Amino acid sequence: MSATSSQAGHASTGAGPRAADTAFRALGVVLQIAATLAIARTLSLFDTGLFFEGFVVTLAGAAFMRAKFDVYLGRHIVAGLAHSTGIGDAEVLRELSARFMKRCCLICAVLLVIAADLDVMAQYLRPYLQTFVPFVLALPFAGYATMIGAALRAANRYLMGLMCTAYVMNGAILLAVAVAPPHPPLELFSWIFLAGSLLAAGVARGFARRVFGVAPVAATRDAARRAAWAQIDRQIESEAGIGFANVALLWAPLGLLVALAPPDEMALFAVSTRSAQLILYLMPVLALLVAPRLGRLGSHLGGAYGRGALWLALSGVALASAAMATLLIVAAQWSLAQYGAPYAAALGVYLALIVAEALSVTARPLYRYHAAHWDAGGARHVLYAAAAVATLVSLALTPWQGAFGAALGLAAGHASAVALGLWSALRHPPLLVRPAHPG
């Protein structure tokens, strides 16, 4: 399974650090809800959908371009492969992020040339181009921030991973609303998104240096390091399909929604999924209340060095996710009413996405287990099947059901990943215990 997903958040065992963790998560909830309310009440349903379509295209495009890097990077950190390869986490992160940024810059250049041609040849598209060009420019910066966020999650710095992506982006949305005139143009929000992406990349770089340190600068690589990097490159290429399947599981339903449904449907989906993501923010705190032993597992929380830790993490995370999902479902109609009358139609979408988010969070201990006890063949079977389910269900339902069809596809994909990942963990015994990454 994907090595880029992390545990369901790790809170420090000390009372002080745990209180700080809870406070930062509460701040994340406030920013998430405030930003969603602000954009839903400021823009029309159509413009909200257009904004989030640009958001999805940017982040999904970045995810596909770094897909094969994320799998190896997460596995290198989770399984402590620095001990066997002799290449530190900081060096791997620097090298793979540099390769990713080069790809992004090339793609951006091509897209900007196409946009310039369209601006001349098809001037009726100019309003759309003015909106989407900032999203194109944001591609490398948002992609870098999310790549570092994935690495931080793999290193048990889950809250940092959220802070350098979601916190900054939500702050940028609130800034756009604060400076916007009455009836603001959509272009303002897209340029603010670009500014937020730049800031997110800077914050991510700072967190990466703090957690992983600074990679040593070597003018040349000796024979041993060249051999180690050749082996790493072979593993990256051999596992590329797993990375693409993981990205398809997460982003194919949204991509199909962009392609097959009007922007109004994207608005309903985006507001619903951002509300359902409260599970992501608060579940770790609730999990420690439901299963206090999770806090004593330290860096092994869901960390796959034994089945006992896996079952404990799964039980605590599943109970906490179910409790959070129940609370959100009970308050669903009231929650959607706060965004305005047009969003009342999103009740079915919201309920499906609450289930999808709960399943996604529940799967995180399984992801870490499989990342540490790596079986590429098993990972292919699990993620290929889950991605196929998500894609086929979304493809079948989205043209007729819009956002509800995409939400059902996402939920079906996550349910398949949990079921198949659990079956794989039961079927295959864990490998010999390896030293935990110091994280």
Side-chain angles (χ1 to χ4, degrees):
M1 297 183 73
S2 166
T4 63
S5 295
S6 168
Q7 74 209 54
H10 166 59
S12 302
T13 56
R18 187 177 298 176
D21 181 273
T22 302
F24 275 110
R25 290 184 182 279
L27 174 61
V29 169
V30 171
L31 288 173
Q32 181 90 349
I33 295 301
T36 308
L37 281 169
I39 199 166
R41 292 180 176 182
T42 302
L43 296 176
S44 67
L45 190 68
F46 182 83
D47 282 351
T48 300
L50 278 182
F51 173 80
F52 282 111
E53 283 185 347
F55 195 96
V56 165
V57 169
T58 299
L59 296 185
F64 272 102
M65 280 190 281
R66 69 171 198 274
K68 67 178 183 179
F69 300 141
D70 273 357
V71 171
Y72 180 81
L73 177 60
R75 199 160 64 80
H76 190 95
I77 296 169
V78 171
L81 296 184
H83 299 291
S84 59
T85 62
I87 307 296
D89 293 341
E91 185 176 349
V92 171
L93 181 58
R94 182 187 64 187
E95 175 68 21
L96 298 187
S97 61
R99 296 182 191 180
F100 165 71
M101 291 293 284
K102 289 176 183 177
R103 291 183 174 198
C104 280
C105 291
L106 288 173
I107 295 296
C108 284
V110 172
L111 291 176
L112 290 174
V113 169
I114 294 173
D117 287 342
L118 289 175
D119 188 51
V120 175
M121 303 300 295
Q123 294 190 7
Y124 66 93
L125 293 175
R126 181 168 294 178
Y128 295 97
L129 294 174
Q130 290 174 344
T131 299
F132 283 101
V133 163
F135 287 107
V136 172
L137 295 173
L139 180 61
F141 306 108
Y144 177 80
T146 51
M147 186 176 190
I148 298 299
L152 290 169
R153 293 193 296 272
N156 288 344
R157 301 299 192 270
Y158 192 75
L159 186 57
M160 283 187 179
L162 278 175
M163 290 175 69
C164 70
T165 53
Y167 283 53
V168 176
M169 293 299 181
N170 286 329
I173 291 175
L174 290 172
L175 176 63
V177 172
V179 302
H183 308 293
L186 184 56
E187 293 81 11
L188 172 65
F189 288 84
S190 58
W191 284 106
I192 289 291
F193 175 81
L194 172 58
S197 299
L198 283 164
L199 179 59
V203 172
R205 179 172 174 79
F207 282 158
R209 292 170 69 91
R210 178 178 177 182
V211 172
F212 300 108
V214 179
V217 178
T220 59
R221 292 178 181 172
D222 58 26
R225 298 184 78 80
R226 288 197 299 271
W229 270 109
Q231 178 63 25
I232 289 173
D233 289 337
R234 284 193 293 270
Q235 290 188 44
I236 289 173
E237 294 301 325
S238 67
E239 298 165 2
I242 299 171
F244 289 118
N246 184 48
V247 173
L249 168 62
L250 299 175
W251 291 102
L254 281 160
L256 290 169
L257 183 61
V258 171
L260 301 176
D264 291 7
E265 294 294 320
M266 176 55 74
L268 300 180
F269 189 102
V271 166
S272 298
T273 198
R274 288 174 62 82
S275 301
Q277 284 172 352
L278 294 186
I279 298 174
L280 183 68
Y281 285 91
L282 295 179
M283 187 281 305
V285 177
L286 186 58
L288 290 174
L289 297 177
V290 172
R293 284 184 61 197
L294 290 178
R296 295 193 293 272
L297 278 175
S299 63
H300 292 284
L301 175 60
Y305 293 103
R307 283 178 174 168
L310 173 64
W311 304 140
L312 177 59
L314 272 177
S315 61
V317 169
L319 285 172
S321 297
M324 280 293 303
T326 301
L327 290 174
L328 292 180
I329 289 171
V330 169
Q333 287 186 315
W334 177 87
S335 299
L336 291 175
Q338 308 312 304
Y339 298 115
Y343 295 95
L347 181 60
V349 180
Y350 186 33
L351 296 179
L353 288 172
I354 290 173
V355 173
E357 193 66 35
L359 288 168
S360 174
V361 171
T362 300
R364 294 183 184 276
L366 285 168
Y367 286 150
R368 290 189 67 84
Y369 183 92
H370 288 286
H373 302 294
W374 184 246
D375 174 15
R380 288 188 183 92
H381 294 155
V382 172
L383 279 174
Y384 285 8
V389 168
T391 303
L392 292 175
V393 171
S394 299
L395 186 61
L397 296 180
T398 301
W400 292 274
Q401 297 295 325
F404 185 56
L408 289 177
L410 191 62
H414 283 306
S416 301
V418 171
L420 293 172
L422 185 58
W423 173 78
S424 180
L426 290 171
R427 181 183 179 190
H428 300 291
L431 304 177
L432 293 176
V433 175
R434 285 174 290 213
H437 183 271

